[in-house]
Amino acid sequence: MARKPRREASLKAYKRDHPGRVEIKGIPGHPRLRQLAKLLDALSVQYTVMPSREDSRVILILDDLTLQDPSEDQVLKLFPKPPIIREGYDLAIIGGGWSGLTAARTAAAHGLDVILLEEHTLLHHAHPSYELVERMRENLTREGIRFTEGARVKRLKPAGRLWEVSTDGAVYRARSIILAIGGVQPGEELPGSRLKGVFWHLPARVQQGEDCVFILHTPTAYELAIPLLTHCTKPIILDPENTLLQLSHAHVKLLEEQGARVYPYARLISLLGDDELEAVRFTSSEKKYHLPAKRLISLQPVVSDTHWLKPLGIVNEDGMIIHTQGETSLRGVYVAGRAAERYALSSEARKAEGGSMALRAVTYVRETYGDLPRGE
């Protein structure tokens, strides 16, 4: 009796059932058959090879599911590789900028077992030299701090008394968490953004009588900039949201006294200069401008990737992490770095912030867990 052909089925339909017999069919020695067998071996899948002399296709058979010439992605969806579980950490730090690095070194110095997770490379947003990154890696290794670069965090969730941090390839379980997530301001990645005289944070240095350009996004930013405006000669203000309309009469009068020129709906195009800032290019109300400048001070909200934290209820509508002096509403979860700040701070301020949050995590771990073995 002829064997009935197996029906085609979707991956979604198959995943509703438990996998049973696994067979692969193809010409013995065919490169695609060897490649599929190698992938199944790597995934620890037991299978039977059914030789075929007539059909050059490679067929994967699982109960009522048949896949012809399956792609690697299809196979991985059927047999997802289980993530590596790494346990025993007192503290997991997400973010390898200045805040995260300082927090890691401070916590380790106080006896905590630390894992540091960075999506890119250490100090990525600071645009460091290769030598500086290598030195930081050596420091972490020498101090016994484990770290993983290229670790994109996808989820944070409670796991009993612990916290579980899921990345693309592993799951880390720790007693406490520091969210040292970085971020950038609009324009901070433009060419020339690292010229001398360009400040993407406070405090900023301005000398009397200099040509200054300010990027101010909110009334609060205007207030923060007023002490610096008084040092500048006819300061230029780029106002991306035309916030000038929301200012108090006193602030508007002060701007007029300083001879400030406000450009509404402004967008920075480029920063020019060899080593020091010499000029800025921008658009305002669809017109292009090229003006000389010795200082640029930007006070715009930082943009961070915090969407994966939204299920925990600690992120506001602007993507900023909600906290009170570094403490979130979640037990043992602290925040430092740009995702916690309305406006960016200097690297020295971020280091101090990271160290402070590390000390809070140390206190939390000692008071909550005492001498319990790690992983409990």
Side-chain angles (χ1 to χ4, degrees), residues 202-206 212 214 224-232 297 299:
L202 291 176
R205 297 185 300 275
V206 175
C212 303
F214 294 83
L224 292 172
I226 283 175
L228 300 173
L229 286 167
T230 57
H231 293 284
C232 303
I297 298 97
L299 296 178

Side-chain angles (χ1 to χ4, degrees), residues 172-187:
Y172 301 85
R173 290 178 180 153
R175 291 171 163 176
S176 59
I177 302 290
I178 292 181
L179 302 169
I181 303 170
V184 295
Q185 295 184 47

Side-chain angles (χ1 to χ4, degrees), residues 77-346:
K77 286 180 181 178
L78 290 175
F79 305 104
K81 193 172 183 179
I84 300 171
I85 305 295
R86 302 189 185 279
E87 299 185 276
Y89 298 107
D90 291 314
L91 174 63
I93 299 173
I94 302 171
W98 286 121
S99 295
L101 288 170
T102 306
R105 300 181 72 180
T106 302
H110 285 77
L112 264 57
D113 195 347
V114 178
I115 179 68
L116 175 69
L117 305 172
E118 165 57 42
E119 180 177 356
H120 304 286
T121 56
L122 299 180
L123 297 174
H124 170 73
H125 288 304
H127 299 268
S129 65
Y130 174 80
E131 291 76 14
L132 176 59
V133 174
E134 280 297 298
R135 187 161 67 249
M136 294 309 302
R137 288 169 178 156
E138 292 171 2
N139 289 342
L140 294 177
T141 302
R142 183 174 60 253
E143 294 168 23
I145 300 170
R146 280 163 283 192
F147 63 94
T148 301
E149 296 173 278
R152 180 175 175 270
V153 175
K154 301 188 297 183
R155 184 171 60 253
L156 174 66
K157 68 175 185 179
R161 299 183 67 189
L162 305 177
W163 286 100
E164 194 170 88
V165 184
S166 299
T167 67
D168 288 325
V171 173
Y172 301 85
R173 290 178 180 153
R175 291 171 163 176
S176 59
I177 302 290
I178 292 181
L179 302 169
I181 303 170
V184 295
Q185 295 184 47
E188 193 172 352
E189 301 293 324
L190 287 174
S193 62
R194 302 296 153 181
L195 290 171
K196 292 180 181 177
V198 178
F199 295 89
W200 299 100
H201 56 74
L202 291 176
R205 297 185 300 275
V206 175
Q207 297 180 7
Q208 193 70 36
E210 286 186 318
D211 293 326
C212 303
V213 176
F214 294 83
I215 306 179
L216 306 178
H217 195 278
T218 63
T220 303
Y222 273 90
E223 293 178 13
L224 292 172
I226 283 175
L228 300 173
L229 286 167
T230 57
H231 293 284
C232 303
T233 301
K234 295 183 178 180
I236 297 168
I237 298 176
L238 309 186
D239 189 339
E241 302 297 333
N242 199 18
T243 308
L244 182 65
L245 299 176
Q246 305 175 33
L247 297 184
S248 66
H249 176 72
H251 285 157
V252 173
K253 185 177 180 180
L254 180 60
L255 294 176
E256 291 174 349
E257 292 174 353
Q258 295 299 318
R261 289 174 288 171
V262 180
Y263 292 83
Y265 306 110
R267 295 291 183 270
L268 195 62
I269 297 176
S270 60
L271 305 168
L272 306 175
D274 293 327
D275 183 46
E276 298 184 359
L277 180 67
E278 298 175 5
V280 296
R281 287 178 179 167
F282 62 92
T283 62
S284 173
S285 300
E286 300 183 354
K287 294 182 180 180
K288 292 185 178 181
Y289 296 87
H290 181 142
L291 299 177
K294 287 295 182 183
R295 291 286 186 273
L296 181 138
I297 298 97
S298 179
L299 296 178
Q300 300 177 88
V302 172
V303 179
S304 299
D305 180 14
T306 55
H307 72 279
W308 50 276
L309 288 170
K310 288 185 177 179
L312 296 172
I314 59 171
V315 177
N316 65 19
E317 60 183 12
D318 295 324
M320 309 298 292
I321 299 175
I322 303 168
H323 67 96
T324 302
Q325 297 182 342
E327 293 191 24
T328 71
S329 59
L330 305 174
R331 55 174 177 76
V333 179
Y334 306 91
V335 58
R338 288 191 162 195
E341 305 158 2
R342 182 64 175 168
Y343 302 101
L345 300 177
S346 67

